[in-house]
Amino acid sequence: MSASTLPGREVLVDIYRKATLIKQNDERFRSVIKSGKLAMVYYSPRGQEIIPSAMSVNLTKDDYIVTIYRGIHDMLAKGVPVRQLWAELGGRVTGTCKGKGGPMHITHPASGVMVTTGIVGASLPIANGLALAAQLRGEKRVAVAYFGDGAANIGAFHEALNMAAVWKLPVVFVCQNNGYGEHTKLAYSTAVPNIAVRAVSYQIPGITVDGNDPLAMYRVAKEAVERARSGGGPTLIEAKTFRFFGHVLGDADAYMDKGEKAAAMARDPVPMFRAWLIASGHATEAELASMEAAIDKELDEALEFTLASPFPDAAELRRDVFKEEISA
Ligand SMILES: Cc1ncc(C[n+]2csc(CCOP(=O)(O)OP(=O)(O)O)c2C)c(N)n1
Ligand SMILES: [Mg+2]
């Protein structure tokens, strides 16, 4: 773990709190789905916890994010309330989108989560639109586009980087390079080993960082967010990480290299950060254990809340779809 320009203790503990919420939330989701209590399509972000946690401590509530189907970690880090997130995934009326968004389309503008998209590459131009709106209104908001390595081969990636560069938009493009696009290893589909080099084509800063290193990720995130907020334009961050499980829950991941996977899991970023926080004197074992117990309780409550909430009424089918039927 690199240690120059260390953030303060509160920030470090906050990054850990977000990362451990994501990890515990993922473990709970997977066990609840397997038990049959809730049914949903689920894309695990396990292994990628540090990236949005270190990004989000540099963002305000008013800053925007646009994420993808594998985006639960991005949403939790940005502050979407846990119980509303669970209820949405469970398709309940108490969810962020009244149960009508489901896992693929969660939005929660109150926390700045503006859209979740299942269309690979679509998060970048949408973030540009949000950033342009903020720029035109003279607001100091920053928009973050999260996307995967597979999305960097989609035309919209290149179009969005070009447009953001030309208009100096307050946007940060965060490529979570987890080594796989669906069932395809990066090297089979991508000509460059480091996606960040593509920033050169658009004359914007492009940085490759170890996305599992909280301090390195924090520093890169801080610089990019400050650049965007102060009118310096966009940045492309390529955060290298590893997807612990298959593309979607139920995928047997036979195409994943077993040795590579075992090595990545042995370097699980969340317990590694935990050990470092304690060893470096930034937190105590007791403090972190009590934080983890509180998160467990919050997850118990989120599950209870979801199971006790009704599904949307059939009359909701067309509401919030057509303009004349938009409800307050
Ligand atoms: C435009 C488009 N093409 C193809 C797909 C099918 N698809 C869904 S996820 C995915 C892989 C994307 O990989 P990556 O961008 O690396 O994200 P990750 O799942 O690894 O987080 C593909 C090809 C899609 N949803 N949208
Ligand atoms: Mg990927």
Side-chain angles (χ1 to χ4, degrees):
M1 213 156 305
S2 40
S4 61
T5 56
L6 208 58
R9 181 196 119 81
E10 285 72 28
V11 173
L12 290 168
V13 172
D14 199 20
I15 296 173
Y16 179 74
R17 191 190 57 76
K18 288 175 186 298
T20 204
L21 169 64
I22 294 163
K23 173 177 173 287
Q24 286 177 225
N25 187 83
D26 179 83
E27 285 161 352
R28 192 66 75 88
F29 262 154
R30 284 185 288 113
S31 79
V32 166
I33 295 169
K34 282 180 186 159
S35 76
K37 283 191 189 129
L38 287 177
M40 69 183 89
V41 58
Y42 182 59
Y43 302 89
S44 170
R46 191 69 183 85
Q48 303 181 201
E49 293 89 345
I50 299 297
I51 300 167
S53 302
M55 277 302 298
S56 295
V57 295
N58 289 291
L59 300 173
T60 70
K61 201 158 170 280
D62 290 338
D63 288 332
Y64 299 127
I65 71 162
V66 182
T67 186
I68 62 168
Y69 50 89
R70 192 184 319 284
I72 298 295
H73 54 329
D74 305 331
M75 297 170 211
L76 287 169
K78 191 66 175 59
V80 175
V82 175
R83 48 157 57 188
Q84 273 180 272
L85 185 70
W86 273 70
E88 188 57 42
L89 286 158
R92 304 310 210 269
V93 291
T94 49
T96 51
C97 309
K98 303 187 199 170
K100 296 188 282 183
M104 285 275 204
H105 303 292
I106 291 177
T107 63
H108 192 253
S111 333
V113 178
M114 304 310 282
V115 183
T116 299
T117 173
I119 300 173
V120 172
S123 61
L124 295 93
I126 299 172
N128 270 1
L130 292 161
L132 177 63
Q135 190 186 61
L136 291 173
R137 291 186 188 129
E139 297 167 349
K140 287 285 173 200
R141 281 176 156 157
V142 171
V144 176
Y146 290 114
F147 55 97
D149 43 284
N153 293 325
I154 296 267
F157 165 90
H158 298 275
E159 294 170 23
L161 261 64
N162 183 60
M163 182 176 277
V166 171
W167 290 346
K168 272 200 175 305
L169 295 178
V171 62
V172 183
F173 299 112
V174 181
C175 176
Q176 303 193 21
N177 182 353
N178 60 14
Y180 289 85
E182 210 160 9
H183 310 117
T184 308
K185 210 171 156 64
L186 183 76
Y188 285 113
S189 64
T190 304
V192 289
N194 290 328
I195 286 160
V197 300
R198 292 181 173 172
V200 173
S201 311
Y202 307 103
Q203 299 225 27
I204 65 171
I207 300 122
T208 298
V209 61
D210 177 355
N212 288 4
D213 178 336
L215 306 185
M217 188 62 217
Y218 170 82
R219 265 200 313 279
V220 168
K222 185 171 192 290
E223 202 182 306
V225 170
E226 281 175 4
R227 179 179 299 117
R229 208 183 296 289
S230 62
T235 304
L236 171 63
I237 298 174
E238 175 193 17
K240 295 225 178 182
T241 183
F242 196 81
R243 191 187 77 190
F244 278 11
F245 299 108
H247 176 59
V248 65
L249 193 70
D251 166 358
D253 71 31
Y255 52 90
M256 287 176 85
D257 184 313
K258 299 282 167 287
E260 187 186 33
K261 186 172 163 172
M265 283 178 144
R267 294 183 49 78
D268 188 334
V270 184
M272 274 180 72
F273 188 34
R274 187 185 200 279
W276 181 84
L277 281 173
I278 295 169
S280 59
H282 288 96
T284 64
E285 163 67 41
E287 178 189 3
L288 299 186
S290 108
M291 177 197 287
E292 289 148 7
I295 290 172
D296 252 339
K297 195 156 166 283
E298 193 178 3
L299 293 170
D300 291 342
E301 284 163 8
L303 174 61
E304 268 172 47
F305 174 74
T306 302
L307 294 178
S309 299
F311 289 104
D313 191 84
E316 283 287 322
L317 202 59
R318 286 175 35 192
R319 192 167 293 142
D320 307 322
V321 176
F322 301 105
K323 190 166 180 273
E324 61 278 11
E325 289 195 8
I326 287 176
S327 53

